[in-house]
Amino acid sequence: QLVDGVPSLQKLHKDKRLVIDSDYWGYLREFDSSFLSAEEYHQSYGDAASQDSYLGLGEILYGFFRFFSREYQWGREVVS
């Protein structure tokens, strides 16, 4: 799957890897920490995906700030 032209390595991973940890307030939370490694992505999808969707640096930077300011759910999701 591509999200704005960039592969979502977490969505492409088939097996879930859950981490249970306490949050800032001490509540136990469950986090999905699974993702497809870059090596696995290139083995499975090759270079065909990158040829179809080329984004310039400006578009990637704009998408980064747009995602974290509008779509990312602060306090509910984890960035690693």
Side-chain angles (χ1 to χ4, degrees):
Q1 287 182 334
L2 294 179
V3 177
D4 292 331
V6 178
S8 172
L9 300 179
Q10 189 171 22
K11 288 184 180 181
L12 290 171
H13 198 270
K14 293 178 177 77
D15 301 322
K16 277 198 163 196
R17 293 182 196 151
L18 297 178
V19 174
I20 299 175
D21 199 2
S22 58
D23 62 13
Y24 178 80
W25 297 274
Y27 295 105
L28 285 181
R29 303 275 313 263
E30 198 173 82
F31 300 99
D32 181 3
S33 64
S34 59
F35 66 93
L36 192 66
S37 71
E39 292 82 14
E40 292 172 309
Y41 177 78
H42 284 293
Q43 286 176 354
S44 300
Y45 299 95
D47 292 330
S50 64
Q51 293 173 357
D52 291 340
S53 58
Y54 173 78
L55 295 175
L57 180 59
E59 293 168 307
I60 293 173
L61 189 60
Y62 173 80
F64 173 84
F65 286 114
R66 182 181 54 84
F67 174 78
F68 282 104
S69 66
R70 295 185 182 171
E71 298 176 29
Y72 183 74
Q73 297 177 7
W74 294 93
R76 300 188 77 198
E77 298 180 329
V78 175
V79 177
S80 61

